[in-house]
Amino acid sequence: MEMSAPARGHWAPVPHRTLSDIVLQRDSTSGLHLALSVLSLSPSEPTMTLTALKPVDTSNADIEDVELLIIYEASRLMTHVGTPDEAINGILRLMSQMIGLNRGRVALKDTDADTMSIRYAYGLTPPERARGQYVIGEGITGRVMQTKQVAVIQNIDDEPYYLTRAVERRILPQETVAFLAVPIMYNDTPLGVLGAHRLRGRKRPFSRDVTLLQVLATLIGQILSLNRLIAEKTALLAYENRALKQALDKKTEGTHGILGESPALRHALRQALHVSPTQATVLLAGESGTGKERFARMVHITSQRQDGPFMAINCAAIPEALLESELFGHEKGAFTGAVVKKQGIVELAHNGTLFLDEIGDLALDLQSKLLHVLEKQAIKRVGGTQDIPVNVRIIAATHKNLQKAVNEGRFRIDLFYRLNVFPIHLPPLRERAGDVRHLARHFLQTANHEFDRNTAFGAGVLERLEGYNWPGNIRQLENVIKRAVLVAQNREITMDDVILILQHEGHIGEHLEAGTHLPVTPAAPVAAPAPIDTRPSIAQRSYGWVRADEGQSLLDALRLTGGNKTRAAMTLGMTPRQFRYRLERLGLLEDHDPLPGNTSRLR
């Protein structure tokens, strides 16, 4: 295919539907000849291969073009490859072959250790990658991780902090070699360091290389964080799937992964099992942490749809701009980035059950589209024009007062009536007399297995746990038991351990208890919606991050742990950094070991 030479300073890609042969051509006076060969990016072959690329030293206009192409291709890698390894290694290859940032490497923090290792690299041999291990604060890589600052080493031979650990100096070019490193951040938290070599004598300014590395580090941080979230969700779903299969084998009430013997819980279980064989829409109402998703799964596995899919989505966890596509899917080309047709979660739940958690946070325009699903059993994809029939049962859940939201115009009344066909109130833990003991023993066994411990409750601990109000309900109880197992000494969770942990939890509890509790009355098997509640909600009190009365609890935690700040922080549910920050703000730090000093700014 032939092309006319484009105007200077502009890319001229060859037109092709699959972007098969993107060719960059310049006029003969520019001195730039760069070819980029890209494999087809069809869904069946989401892989990109780069060949015949050379670093560019030319005008500012040419540099900007190359930078934009690198960022564009790096963004495509995020969405078109199957694994983080392929995406990150592809970005490192772009850096080397297109801009001359060679031997790129990504060093990440090791789990449960103050060390970091090279996890991804381009241009490094396996032995070189294996040698790339650093204590946080050690060498250039460790210092960038510690300080979260950029490092520009213009001559590695003159920099005493440069360790030459991964790549020996004799392997590198004999001319002056520079090293650049930037932190990989996500939500102000350092995940690792992106570094690369370059020749100092190249015409390209260091400042442009640093800016480009910071942009690529941001993309890499997004890839790593998304992969971690997916892994955590996959592990959770695998655990819940095993628990549900075990519950199915027992075929008795209350054995579907829901523990407890209290009358309030038994009433909710009887309601759920009563409605599960029907096709009625169910609304689960209750405070956060009361087990709404577990109840939804129990309704599904005891229904005639148990062989169909169970799909769950949290309406508050996905940005509003993306939620419509996640729910209803989209057609190819419906918006920028919609390169393929995608089925939404409603369509994926066909012949099964769809669980919509936090339904009270659904935007009004999406409420109308969900109402269409309930009334017509059909969906319309984003960018589509035709209805697609679906056969799905909806179970919704909320911790908010939907009746109040209807009165305030934040929730459609017709959707409320459609969802509230069979409301079930899930009782908070403080109303489940005796269940704290059962749950605490179960969470203790689970935590012992997870952390490879053999810990037991000491005298009076279960009674102390039963006396607590548990504003965070079952989720909070599980968190407290895990923390107690981690801080316990001599294989026993003592009363002091629990008192210190609950003392910190009490600050959070005061904040949560000031909120509005959802007033839902348990309904009969097929109940009409309750009257609209017009009572005003209780305003929440303000919550201070550092409280003047926290000092004694901090000192008690230090005394209990023998002055170990890390263990003391764990007893209070804090990170070591948060614990030390409170000591410093409250003027208590001078009585204990000083904080490690910040290293001087890198040159």
Side-chain angles (χ1 to χ4, degrees):
M1 180 179 298
E2 297 182 357
M3 297 182 56
S4 60
R8 180 177 178 82
H10 296 277
W11 296 109
V14 176
H16 196 289
R17 291 183 179 177
T18 60
L19 300 178
S20 299
D21 298 297
I22 298 179
V23 178
L24 172 65
Q25 298 181 347
R26 310 291 293 186
D27 58 51
S28 58
T29 61
S30 71
L32 174 62
H33 301 280
L34 183 62
L36 174 61
S37 175
V38 184
L39 295 180
S40 172
L41 293 181
S42 63
S44 61
E45 297 178 332
T47 305
M48 184 166 68
T49 303
L50 305 178
T51 59
L53 302 179
K54 297 180 180 179
V56 176
D57 284 327
T58 183
S59 67
N60 288 337
D62 295 335
I63 290 174
E64 292 175 0
D65 286 344
V66 174
E67 289 172 345
L68 287 174
L69 182 60
I70 290 175
I71 295 170
Y72 171 74
E73 295 297 342
S75 301
R76 286 165 59 85
L77 282 168
M78 290 181 62
T79 57
H80 288 87
V81 299
T83 66
D85 291 22
E86 294 173 340
I88 296 176
N89 288 332
I91 291 174
L92 297 177
R93 185 177 182 185
L94 283 169
M95 289 166 39
S96 176
Q97 296 192 347
M98 296 191 68
I99 211 70
L101 294 174
N102 299 320
R103 298 174 185 83
R105 76 288 306 268
V106 171
L108 302 179
K109 185 180 183 301
D110 298 322
T111 304
D112 299 328
D114 291 331
T115 59
M116 53 194 311
S117 306
I118 293 179
R119 305 286 181 81
Y120 307 96
Y122 180 76
L124 300 186
T125 65
E128 289 171 341
R129 289 184 57 180
R131 290 197 299 267
Q133 297 184 346
Y134 311 91
V135 175
I136 293 179
E138 178 189 28
I140 301 301
T141 300
R143 284 169 173 254
V144 170
M145 181 70 177
Q146 182 182 61
T147 64
K148 298 185 287 188
Q149 296 177 352
V150 172
V152 179
I153 309 302
Q154 297 198 28
N155 186 349
I156 62 174
D157 297 326
D158 294 339
E159 175 54 60
Y161 289 118
Y162 187 80
L163 302 179
T164 321
R165 178 170 295 171
V167 183
E168 298 179 4
R169 182 61 180 91
R170 62 182 179 83
I171 302 297
L172 301 173
Q174 293 308 303
E175 53 188 298
T176 304
V177 176
F179 181 74
L180 309 179
V182 300
I184 299 172
M185 307 290 295
Y186 185 76
N187 288 342
D188 295 327
T189 300
L191 303 180
V193 174
L194 170 63
H197 289 119
R198 63 158 276 180
L199 296 178
R200 180 178 177 178
R202 292 185 54 225
K203 297 178 182 179
R204 178 177 166 82
F206 278 96
S207 60
R208 299 198 73 99
D209 281 345
V210 169
T211 300
L212 178 61
L213 284 176
Q214 288 176 315
V215 173
L216 297 178
T218 300
L219 297 179
I220 291 172
Q222 295 287 337
I223 293 171
L224 294 171
S225 300
L226 180 60
N227 183 64
R228 182 174 59 186
L229 290 175
I230 292 173
E232 290 174 355
K233 185 64 176 178
T234 301
L236 176 62
L237 290 175
Y239 168 76
E240 292 180 345
N241 188 48
R242 290 193 299 270
L244 289 170
K245 287 182 178 179
Q246 293 173 359
L248 278 173
D249 294 336
K250 298 183 180 180
K251 302 292 185 182
T252 57
E253 180 178 301
T255 58
H256 299 272
I258 301 173
L259 303 177
E261 301 290 339
S262 64
L265 178 66
R266 289 294 174 183
H267 177 72
L269 285 168
R270 283 193 295 270
Q271 284 189 298
L273 292 173
H274 182 82
V275 75
S276 62
T278 73
Q279 300 301 315
T281 302
V282 177
L283 178 62
L284 301 173
E287 297 175 9
S288 178
T290 50
K292 292 186 280 292
E293 185 167 350
R294 287 189 178 273
F295 265 80
R297 289 181 180 274
M298 186 190 71
V299 170
H300 171 71
I301 63 179
T302 56
S303 72
Q304 298 175 355
R305 296 174 176 264
Q306 59 182 308
D307 295 328
F310 176 89
M311 306 300 295
I313 189 170
N314 189 319
C315 299
I318 300 175
E320 182 177 337
L322 302 178
L323 186 56
E324 182 178 3
S325 175
E326 291 296 320
L327 283 171
F328 306 109
H330 61 252
E331 298 291 348
K332 181 179 179 181
F335 49 83
T336 302
V339 296
V340 295
K341 180 177 68 176
K342 175 187 174 183
Q343 289 182 310
I345 197 168
V346 179
E347 193 173 351
L348 292 173
H350 181 64
N351 291 329
T353 303
L354 173 63
F355 175 58
L356 298 174
D357 199 7
E358 300 301 343
I359 191 69
D361 291 292
L362 198 64
L364 283 171
D365 58 334
L366 294 182
Q367 290 178 25
S368 62
K369 295 182 179 181
L370 179 60
L371 181 65
H372 181 73
V373 175
L374 289 166
E375 291 180 340
K376 305 296 185 181
Q377 285 287 294
I379 59 113
K380 185 178 294 182
R381 299 193 188 112
V382 177
T385 58
Q386 296 182 346
D387 280 346
I388 300 172
V390 291
N391 177 17
V392 61
R393 180 187 191 176
I394 290 181
I395 301 176
T398 183
H399 73 282
K400 295 185 176 181
N401 189 336
L402 290 188
Q403 300 168 348
K404 181 173 180 291
V406 168
N407 284 343
E408 295 175 350
R410 294 181 289 106
F411 202 87
R412 293 178 60 107
I413 190 170
D414 46 3
L415 179 59
F416 173 78
Y417 286 129
R418 284 286 184 177
L419 294 174
N420 203 43
V421 173
F422 193 93
I424 300 176
H425 172 63
L426 304 188
L429 198 51
R430 60 182 172 273
E431 296 177 7
R432 294 171 52 177
D435 284 354
V436 171
R437 286 178 175 264
H438 296 290
L439 291 165
R441 292 191 180 102
H442 169 73
F443 292 142
L444 176 65
Q445 182 181 3
T446 302
N448 278 332
H449 178 74
E450 180 179 353
F451 303 128
D452 196 22
R453 301 289 177 88
N454 187 20
T455 309
F457 290 122
V461 169
L462 286 175
E463 289 77 10
R464 182 68 182 86
L465 293 174
E466 281 189 319
Y468 189 65
N469 200 40
W470 300 114
N473 294 294
I474 302 171
R475 187 181 296 115
Q476 184 186 18
L477 174 60
E478 181 179 15
N479 177 270
V480 167
I481 298 301
K482 285 186 175 182
R483 199 184 315 160
V485 168
L486 288 171
V487 303
Q489 301 181 10
N490 300 321
R491 299 184 178 181
E492 183 180 82
I493 299 173
T494 66
M495 181 72 78
D496 286 341
D497 293 334
V498 173
I499 289 175
L500 281 173
I501 295 173
L502 294 183
Q503 188 175 21
H504 174 71
E505 293 288 311
H507 299 324
I508 303 173
E510 292 171 2
H511 170 61
L512 294 177
E513 289 167 13
T516 304
H517 297 305
L518 186 65
V520 178
T521 304
V526 179
I532 303 300
D533 185 4
T534 59
R535 293 176 294 176
S537 62
I538 304 172
Q540 291 188 345
R541 294 182 298 208
S542 61
Y543 178 74
W545 286 107
V546 180
R547 298 162 54 105
D549 59 355
E550 285 185 355
Q552 190 58 49
S553 65
L554 299 176
L555 295 176
D556 289 343
L558 282 171
R559 176 183 57 78
L560 180 66
T561 59
N564 187 313
K565 293 187 181 68
T566 299
R567 294 179 63 85
M570 292 171 64
T571 66
L572 299 179
M574 305 178 188
T575 66
R577 181 183 295 272
Q578 291 170 334
F579 185 85
R580 294 187 180 98
Y581 174 76
R582 279 162 168 74
L583 287 176
E584 184 179 27
R585 288 296 301 271
L586 295 173
L588 303 175
L589 189 61
E590 59 187 6
D591 298 330
H592 302 281
D593 295 336
L595 286 171
N598 291 329
T599 57
S600 59
R601 182 172 298 180
L602 296 176
R603 290 185 287 161

